[in-house]
């Protein structure tokens, strides 16, 4: 068959047309899904959150569940009846009573994950066949492949998926894509996160429609005026990239300057802190090549698998001889054996 045409992209402004509290499918999206069901076509709901709910809170005392080893909240996975840490894989059963105050049956799932979205779709469209595509539901790449083939062949009316649906799968009966929370990843002002959100939404939207069946992508957002959202809606990749480049140049971020992140980690918080302070005082070789040293500061995820993490950032002008300067810097304040040092030059992620 022919080349797919780009789908029509439209925003659903959650501030004006949002769903009632505790629900995640806005009425305009639900109406579009009902039309597809009637026509025998497929809808895809995209939400990049695995599990049932990203947060479990006790309604009696406000306690919420966190990983004992990481700075991360435990995500409820209802199918597996577990609370799971997405950083380290720690899993524990979902208790009936709050472990802090002991109140029974007061634990509340807060926010949406794909499992919860599937539940809502089933409540709205009782007769529809719903398929959940997530790295949790398929055991291994072969099972995922088989599941995708079955769905592509028409084995589902509504597909609900995480980012596993974004790439390369061809669903010939799919004519509607609903992006449930387009604002995920935009809130922290991280340029790379904005870029990832842009790419992901473009990829997912591109799943809808083909030559003889034009697609529609409805994008639920509380910030349709956000520059990234405007670029997504206008389909204007060049404008988005130009804006990104300008923002990066202003921030001295790669490729307009060079950056290195030094992450120190270890089981003893005080030793990690002392090693970081020693490195901060030994920055002369960096200054000699025009680089600036920032930190130490707790890494954005300050604890993973029980190890404390502290970060220093080095920003250097483009063309600076950064590698030898980094080597000289570390040689001047090498951390003790109990503290691990990882250097990432022009890092892809600052987590
Ligand atoms: Zn409680
Ligand atoms: Zn963990």
């Amino acid at each position: 068959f022919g080349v797919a045409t780009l789908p029509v992209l439209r925003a659903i402004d959650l501030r004006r047309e949002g769903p009632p509290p505790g629900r995640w499918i806005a009425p305009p999206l639900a109406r579009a899904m009902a039309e597809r069901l009637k026509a025998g076509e497929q809808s895809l709901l995209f939400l990049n959150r695995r599990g049932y709910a990203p947060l479990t809170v006790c309604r009696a005392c406000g306690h919420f569940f966190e990983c004992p080893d990481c700075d991360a909240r435990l995500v409820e996975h209802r199918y597996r009846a577990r609370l799971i840490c997405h950083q380290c894989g720690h899993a524990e059963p979902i208790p009936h009573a709050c472990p802090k105050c002991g109140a029974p049956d007061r634990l509340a799932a807060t926010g949406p994950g794909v499992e919860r979205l599937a539940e809502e779709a089933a409540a709205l469209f009782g007769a529809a066949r719903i398929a959940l595509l997530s790295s949790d539901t398929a055991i291994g790449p072969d099972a995922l492949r088989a599941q995708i083939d079955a769905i592509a062949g028409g084995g589902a009316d509504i597909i609900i998926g995480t980012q596993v649906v974004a790439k390369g799968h061809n669903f010939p009966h799919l004519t509607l894509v609903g992006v449930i929370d387009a604002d995920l990843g935009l809130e922290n002002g991280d340029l790379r996160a904005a870029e990832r959100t842009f790419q992901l939404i473009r990829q997912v939207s591109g799943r809808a429609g083909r030559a003889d069946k034009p697609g529609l992508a409805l994008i639920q957002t509380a910030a349709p005026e956000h520059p990234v959202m405007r670029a997504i809606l206008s389909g204007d990749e060049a404008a988005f990239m130009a804006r990104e480049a300008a923002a990066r140049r202003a921030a001295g971020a790669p490729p307009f300057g060079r950056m290195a992140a030094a992450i120190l980690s270890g089981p003893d918080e005080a030793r990690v802190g002392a090693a970081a302070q020693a490195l901060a005082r030994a920055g002369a070789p960096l200054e000699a090549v025009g680089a600036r040293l920032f930190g130490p500061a707790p890494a954005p995820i300050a604890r993973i698998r029980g190890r404390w993490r502290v970060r220093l950032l080095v920003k250097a002008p483009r063309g600076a001889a950064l590698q030898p300067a980094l080597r000289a810097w570390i040689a001047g304040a090498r951390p003790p054996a109990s503290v691990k040092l990882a250097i990432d030059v022009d890092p892809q992620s600052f987590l």
Side-chain angles (χ1 to χ4, degrees):
F1 37 68
V3 178
T5 50
L6 270 180
V8 174
L9 295 156
R10 263 209 305 268
I12 295 176
D13 188 337
L14 291 174
R15 295 166 303 187
R16 294 189 297 109
E17 322 175 86
R23 303 248 302 263
W24 322 101
I25 300 172
L29 176 56
R31 283 195 294 275
M33 292 169 73
E35 285 169 20
R36 297 309 182 286
L37 271 175
K38 213 187 261 172
E41 296 168 9
Q42 289 177 324
S43 306
L44 164 69
L45 300 183
F46 172 70
L47 175 65
N48 207 13
R49 268 188 169 151
R50 292 154 53 206
Y52 185 82
L55 179 64
T56 303
V57 185
C58 171
R59 276 185 300 237
C61 76
H63 171 73
F64 55 86
F65 288 77
E66 290 184 291
C67 177
D69 299 320
C70 306
D71 274 350
R73 288 160 181 182
L74 296 180
V75 177
E76 179 181 344
H77 286 245
R78 200 157 277 194
Y79 290 168
R80 291 165 65 182
R82 289 281 187 284
L83 297 167
I84 297 175
C85 172
H86 285 183
Q87 294 299 329
C88 73
H90 166 88
E92 53 188 73
I94 304 168
H96 287 293
C98 172
K100 192 169 172 218
C101 74
D105 299 321
R106 297 300 303 275
L107 299 176
T110 306
V114 281
E115 292 179 6
R116 191 173 205 178
L117 195 58
E119 201 175 86
E120 182 179 344
L124 284 172
F125 305 104
R129 296 164 302 158
I130 296 170
L132 184 56
L133 268 182
S134 160
S135 53
D136 296 307
T137 50
I139 310 303
D142 289 347
L144 186 62
R145 185 76 250 168
Q147 200 188 357
I148 288 167
D149 287 346
I151 292 168
D157 303 309
I158 298 170
I159 306 151
I160 293 176
T162 60
Q163 63 182 8
V164 299
V165 303
K167 264 208 170 146
H169 312 306
N170 188 28
F171 298 117
H173 307 289
L174 180 71
T175 57
L176 172 69
V177 166
V179 177
I180 295 300
D181 187 353
D183 306 325
L184 267 181
L186 291 184
E187 57 275 274
N188 53 8
D190 171 351
L191 295 175
R192 286 179 195 276
E195 190 175 289
R196 268 197 309 276
T197 299
F198 180 88
Q199 299 292 359
L200 211 49
I201 292 177
R202 286 291 298 276
Q203 281 173 357
V204 171
S205 303
R207 299 291 117 226
R210 53 184 186 132
D212 58 331
K213 274 187 199 168
L216 172 66
L218 294 175
I219 296 168
Q220 299 192 157
T221 171
E225 70 286 348
H226 189 290
V228 173
M229 212 53 67
R230 288 219 308 261
I232 290 168
L233 292 167
S234 69
D236 189 351
E237 191 145 7
F240 174 76
M241 292 308 169
R243 245 191 312 265
E244 281 285 288
R248 276 173 197 230
R249 197 178 293 117
F256 300 101
R258 306 207 55 196
M259 272 191 183
I263 302 258
L264 293 131
S265 65
D268 185 319
E269 189 181 11
R271 280 192 191 168
V272 174
Q277 290 295 348
L279 274 171
R281 285 191 300 267
L286 296 171
E287 284 149 28
V289 298
R292 293 169 65 198
L293 185 55
F294 300 87
I301 299 173
R303 204 161 59 105
I304 292 183
R305 293 187 169 88
R307 295 176 69 86
W308 297 89
R309 303 168 81 239
V310 169
R311 183 183 69 173
L312 295 119
L313 277 183
V314 178
K315 275 193 190 183
R318 194 174 191 176
L322 188 56
Q323 293 284 7
L326 286 170
R327 277 196 294 274
W329 172 46
I330 291 154
R334 201 169 285 286
S338 64
V339 176
K340 189 179 158 221
L341 171 64
I343 301 272
D344 192 0
V345 177
D346 295 333
Q348 295 298 309
S349 155
F350 292 98
L351 294 181

